[in-house]
Amino acid sequence: MAAATTLLAGSPWLRLRLRPDAHAGHFARHIHLGRALSARSRVRASAADEPAGPVRVRFAPSPTGNLHVGGARTALFNYLFARSKGGRFVLRVEDTDLERSTRQSEEAVIADLQWLGLQWDEGPDVGGEFGPYRQSERNSLYKQYAEKLLDSGAVYRCFCSNEELEQMKEVAKQRQLPPVYMGKWATASDVEVEQELEKGTPYTYRFRVPKEGSLKINDLIRGEVSWNLDTLGDFVIMRSNGQPVYNFCVTVDDATMQISHVIRAEEHLPNTLRQALIYKALGFPMPSFAHVSLILAPDKSKLSKRHGATSVGQYKEMGYLPQAMVNYLALLGWGDGTENEFFTIDDLVEKFTINRVNKSGAVFDATKLKWMNGQHLRSIPQDELIKAFEDQWKNTGILQESDSGFAKEAAELLKDGIDLITEADAALTNLLSYPLHATLSSDEAKPVVQDKISVVASGLISAYDSGELNQALTEGRDGWQKWVKGFGKSLKRKGKGLFMPLRVLLTGKLHGPEMGGSMALIHKAGICGAVTPQSNFVTLDERFRILKEVDWESLAKEQESPAESAVPAAS
């Protein structure tokens, strides 16, 4: 019994107690787990957040698909925790699902993590003293520890066939009992085991779970979590083909890699019970656990593909910035206690604490993410932002090489209305277009048209034909401001009564960027040769040709409402 007690020591926060009535006999070698187990947390989450040893955390994706935003957030929280504590961030690839795991998927996940800027200290591509960092390359280690558990009696060989196991489940279902393993091999004699080995009967390794008691942990996010052991049953750690089972691999990996904190999705919370039992049986110190809530869709269901883009790679292709994704993912379940929502990665490292991560699920709001991307886009240094816009326009064939400064002026004018770099195309082509007839015929334009817009049009055409407007635009925004002031005085108009009809007549639209900058840019586009035919550009000459052809009298009649036209003339 003294030896068994020694084996159970070593965890600063989990204590296992043996019942004094554990029986002897051929079970003596199994006594270290006893017939009953209880566990009690002895260190609260706040204390566990300050470990005695070095902080080592890991992100362990399965390379069976793309990196989901939920996985990316888990990786981010691990990264921030490690960096905020001066610790190590480990990347481990859990590729034991041989049928679904692919190296292509692994490379894609790694590329997405690198794009987010979450650089790891140890991993399959950078190495480290605790490698290899792919589970598929660690089989000899798993077998070594499985044999150790077999020798200690913590696990036993189970020779049950699939048919026998299915029959057990059916019996349990009929008796309204949990579908746990209740087979004979938990109590089989050495002679019975040897007979099956001699026959070459396939077997699994099953972990011997106490039939009574409970286990409790103090989760750093969720507080106290407990399980009754009688609902678990003896579970398999090695399959009959020699392949280790997930919970066994994870425990051996985390223990041998000296992981101090396991920060993962709440979906893994049920696995913690099995892993805690394996930790104790192997005599490994227990890490601190923190289970992060799910990311939810707007309808509060689990976020999935049916809700739209869910992978990091998709958002990258859509033109999102990595710094915006990192900022937004951090706020899904965490905050620094202030109203601030804009954080750089360095800000997050400085402010992140695990005790400010919420228990409840966080709703993924695509609109909020896009808004945040716009905030980060506009925080980029001016020269870099202009270059990004120019590259985007050239790549999509809207712009061609030019030393005119057109791209710079266009970027400065349009940036405040753009949240995604991919939106720059539509913003520029919209500015350069001239949908005058569609706008004039719209219901929204009625008040502007009915405010004697034809008078403004007549004066504007005269200013253009005389060269007065072109001369003003040659002088840029200042020239425009000076001209429009005089033009307004000549028509005895100002404010909205002046600028709304001018916007419609000159740009063909009711809304858009600041008029002075818009007109200066449209003028420049006509003389610098920077834009291509794909830009949808309508020159000033063409705009005024279209404008001169408008039949204002017919337009006014078309816009006259049925109620107005039905009113009889006064007698």
Side-chain angles (χ1 to χ4, degrees):
M1 180 65 76
T5 304
T6 302
L7 179 62
L8 290 170
S11 170
W13 65 279
L14 189 69
R15 186 171 69 200
L16 307 183
R17 294 201 303 271
L18 294 174
R19 288 169 57 99
D21 60 344
H23 62 283
H26 73 275
F27 280 107
R29 68 183 190 276
H30 305 151
I31 200 71
H32 68 288
L33 284 176
R35 295 183 60 213
L37 175 151
S38 66
R40 183 172 64 202
S41 172
R42 302 194 328 191
V43 180
R44 298 187 66 81
S46 58
D49 197 21
E50 300 294 339
V55 166
R56 289 179 57 81
V57 299
R58 51 71 167 179
F59 177 58
S62 298
T64 56
N66 298 320
L67 179 63
H68 188 274
V69 292
R73 185 190 59 170
T74 299
L76 174 61
F77 282 1
N78 275 278
Y79 173 88
L80 295 177
F81 186 77
R83 294 292 178 261
S84 67
K85 301 291 184 183
R88 304 274 288 178
F89 176 47
V90 178
L91 177 66
R92 184 176 72 230
V93 178
E94 296 185 347
D95 58 349
T96 51
D97 186 342
L98 302 179
E99 292 183 359
R100 297 173 60 220
S101 297
T102 66
R103 190 56 62 91
Q104 182 181 8
S105 178
E106 177 186 321
E107 291 171 355
V109 169
I110 287 176
D112 286 343
L113 290 170
Q114 289 174 333
W115 178 70
L116 290 170
L118 308 183
Q119 190 56 53
W120 42 96
D121 304 297
E122 302 168 31
D125 57 335
V126 297
E129 61 178 309
F130 297 97
Y133 293 91
R134 292 187 185 92
Q135 284 186 338
S136 60
E137 299 170 4
R138 297 171 65 84
N139 278 340
S140 61
L141 191 67
Y142 304 138
K143 290 175 181 176
Q144 172 190 331
Y145 281 103
E147 292 301 323
K148 180 179 179 181
L149 290 176
L150 181 65
D151 292 342
S152 71
V155 305
Y156 57 89
R157 294 182 179 91
C158 173
F159 296 92
C160 289
S161 64
N162 290 333
E163 291 75 17
E164 288 176 295
L165 294 174
E166 286 300 321
Q167 188 176 3
M168 287 181 205
K169 288 182 183 178
E170 188 60 34
V171 170
K173 183 178 180 181
Q174 291 172 0
R175 296 178 182 177
Q176 296 184 327
L177 296 172
V180 298
Y181 177 76
M182 303 293 288
K184 68 176 184 177
W185 296 106
T187 57
S189 66
D190 290 343
V191 173
E192 290 175 302
V193 171
E194 286 299 325
Q195 288 175 345
E196 295 301 321
L197 289 175
E198 289 176 4
K199 289 191 291 186
T201 306
Y203 61 86
T204 59
Y205 280 14
R206 279 192 185 273
F207 190 93
R208 193 183 302 279
V209 178
K211 301 301 180 284
E212 300 174 14
S214 63
L215 183 144
K216 296 179 183 178
I217 68 165
N218 197 16
D219 190 280
L220 299 182
I221 295 173
R222 301 179 177 281
E224 186 177 278
V225 182
S226 64
W227 299 266
N228 290 325
L229 294 173
D230 60 3
T231 63
L232 181 57
D234 296 351
F235 56 89
V236 174
I237 66 163
M238 293 284 283
R239 299 182 180 90
S240 58
N241 63 0
Q243 283 296 311
V245 172
Y246 170 79
N247 279 301
F248 182 56
C249 295
V250 168
T251 307
V252 171
D253 289 342
D254 285 343
T256 56
M257 291 181 180
Q258 299 180 14
I259 299 302
S260 64
H261 294 75
V262 174
I263 304 170
R264 59 188 179 186
E266 68 174 335
E267 292 172 306
H268 290 285
L269 191 57
N271 294 324
T272 307
L273 172 56
R274 291 176 174 82
Q275 292 167 20
L277 292 172
I278 297 171
Y279 269 110
K280 296 312 299 181
L282 288 171
F284 285 127
M286 198 81 64
S288 297
F289 289 97
H291 289 90
V292 182
S293 63
L294 295 175
I295 294 180
L296 305 176
D299 62 2
K300 300 301 176 68
S301 64
K302 182 181 176 182
L303 186 68
S304 65
K305 291 180 180 179
R306 67 187 176 87
H307 298 108
T310 57
S311 74
V312 170
Q314 286 175 294
Y315 285 101
K316 178 182 177 181
E317 291 173 3
M318 289 161 64
Y320 283 83
L321 298 171
Q323 56 267 43
M325 284 297 299
V326 164
N327 190 165
Y328 184 67
L329 289 175
L331 295 181
L332 288 178
W334 175 88
D336 70 344
T338 72
E339 296 297 316
N340 183 33
E341 292 186 307
F342 186 94
F343 296 95
T344 64
I345 189 72
D346 292 337
D347 294 335
L348 291 170
V349 168
E350 179 185 347
K351 296 178 181 297
F352 184 82
T353 57
I354 201 74
N355 60 2
R356 292 204 64 86
V357 176
N358 298 327
K359 294 181 189 178
S360 56
V363 174
F364 191 92
D365 184 344
T367 302
K368 180 70 173 289
L369 169 59
K370 187 178 177 183
W371 169 85
M372 184 162 286
N373 195 83
Q375 303 303 304
H376 279 274
L377 185 66
R378 287 180 283 278
S379 72
I380 293 174
Q382 187 81 340
D383 290 347
E384 293 180 25
L385 182 62
I386 292 169
K387 179 69 164 56
F389 276 57
E390 186 173 12
D391 289 345
Q392 174 69 22
W393 289 327
K394 287 179 180 177
N395 289 339
T396 51
I398 296 172
L399 211 61
Q400 52 196 8
E401 292 295 335
S402 170
D403 296 327
S404 64
F406 178 85
K408 178 176 183 295
E409 289 184 33
E412 290 174 346
L413 177 68
L414 300 172
K415 62 183 174 68
D416 288 340
I418 294 173
D419 288 331
L420 291 173
I421 193 69
T422 49
E423 293 178 343
D425 297 344
L428 183 56
T429 56
N430 182 60
L431 178 77
L432 297 176
S433 68
Y434 189 62
L436 179 65
H437 289 299
T439 299
L440 290 175
S441 302
S442 68
D443 288 339
E444 192 181 358
K446 279 185 180 181
V448 181
V449 172
Q450 292 171 356
D451 186 23
K452 299 181 179 179
I453 193 174
S454 59
V455 175
V456 181
S458 178
L460 188 60
I461 291 170
S462 296
Y464 186 75
D465 287 345
S466 68
E468 178 186 315
L469 179 58
N470 260 319
Q471 179 58 42
L473 292 175
T474 303
E475 299 171 17
R477 293 191 187 196
D478 291 341
W480 162 264
Q481 295 293 350
K482 182 179 178 182
W483 174 83
V484 82
K485 187 176 181 180
F487 185 70
K489 282 185 178 180
S490 69
L491 296 178
K492 297 182 180 179
R493 286 176 177 249
K494 60 182 179 179
K496 193 175 180 180
L498 172 64
F499 284 100
M500 281 304 295
L502 277 180
R503 179 177 291 279
V504 170
L505 296 170
L506 288 170
T507 72
K509 294 171 280 287
L510 285 159
H511 311 284
E514 183 263 326
M515 273 288 288
S518 297
M519 290 312 303
L521 197 64
I522 289 168
H523 177 262
K524 174 166 278 193
I527 60 175
C528 71
V531 298
T532 67
Q534 291 97 303
S535 66
N536 206 25
F537 177 48
V538 179
T539 65
L540 276 175
D541 280 346
E542 180 64 13
R543 289 173 194 235
F544 275 91
R545 185 192 65 76
I546 295 170
L547 188 57
K548 290 174 183 178
E549 294 176 353
V550 174
D551 185 340
W552 297 106
E553 186 175 344
S554 297
L555 180 65
K557 287 181 180 179
E558 287 175 10
Q559 289 198 341
E560 193 176 86
S561 68
E564 291 171 340
S565 60
V567 175
S571 56

